[in-house]
Amino acid sequence: MRIGAHVDSADPLSEATARAADAVQFFLSDPQGWKAPKPREDADRLRAAEVDLYVHAPYVINVATLNNRIRIPSRKLLLGHATAAAEIGAKGLIVHGGHVNAGDDLAVGFDNWRKTFAYAADAGGFALPVLIENTAGGDNACARRLDALARLWDALGDYEVGFCLDTCHAHAGGEELLDLVDRVKAITGRIDLVHANNSKDTFGSGRDRHDNLDGGTIDPELVVAVIRAAGAPAIVETPGGVDGQGADIAFLRDRLAVGSPAA
Ligand SMILES: [Zn+2]
């Protein structure tokens, strides 16, 4: 079972070594910006690495929204990221479930997701698995609560879609972690990646503030149980850089009884 961290994108492999991580996630462009990712000079090295790579799409992407000026560039940016992520040999591209604006029909949001996959299919399909991630907040989210997730998966039925389960987002979003993996898999049939985070905020708060595994309001054993049940790689998106994330990774390895990567 691979365990890693979300790291700075400048030199992800060195970041992995510093944390004894065998997986890393990083951005390929400014997460708050609309610029398409540039080809990386270290692409050959990344592709050849033992470390598993995951790419997180920019936060600005919202393919569900009814706002054309956000939705259309979001589709394009997501497709561009999939191509760029495949170029470096990434295992998956993680993108948030998105939302519609207050007063807009969520059904249209789910259909916009379907259209996003149709748009990608017209261009030859996403070049690697796209993993939709559950989110913590909002009343009009496509992947906060499981009732919405089920409608999203219904809309995407024709396409190959992956899922990334974030424990902080689930807890803050109001989904109990106990047995959550079974309830998610009943909908999605799969969990490709776990974002193993604690939450600074309380259950159902709707706030998205990650904490280290031994901090926050979630019993860390529940995070361990989610990873074990999911049987998927885990990425910590926790504070504290090399020390904080290194300790979180070591904790998970210890509790899951999996070894460190060979030095
Ligand atoms: Zn996450």
Side-chain angles (χ1 to χ4, degrees), residues 2-22:
R2 300 223 158 205
I3 301 176
H6 182 95
V7 300
D8 187 88
S9 60
D11 187 358
L13 298 179
S14 298
E15 303 286 351
T17 304
R19 292 162 177 77
D22 40 26

Side-chain angles (χ1 to χ4, degrees), residues 233-255:
I235 294 283
V236 303
E237 301 172 304
T238 52
V242 169
D243 292 345
Q245 294 185 335
D248 286 334
I249 290 170
F251 168 79
L252 292 177
R253 282 229 170 81
D254 178 59
R255 300 297 298 126

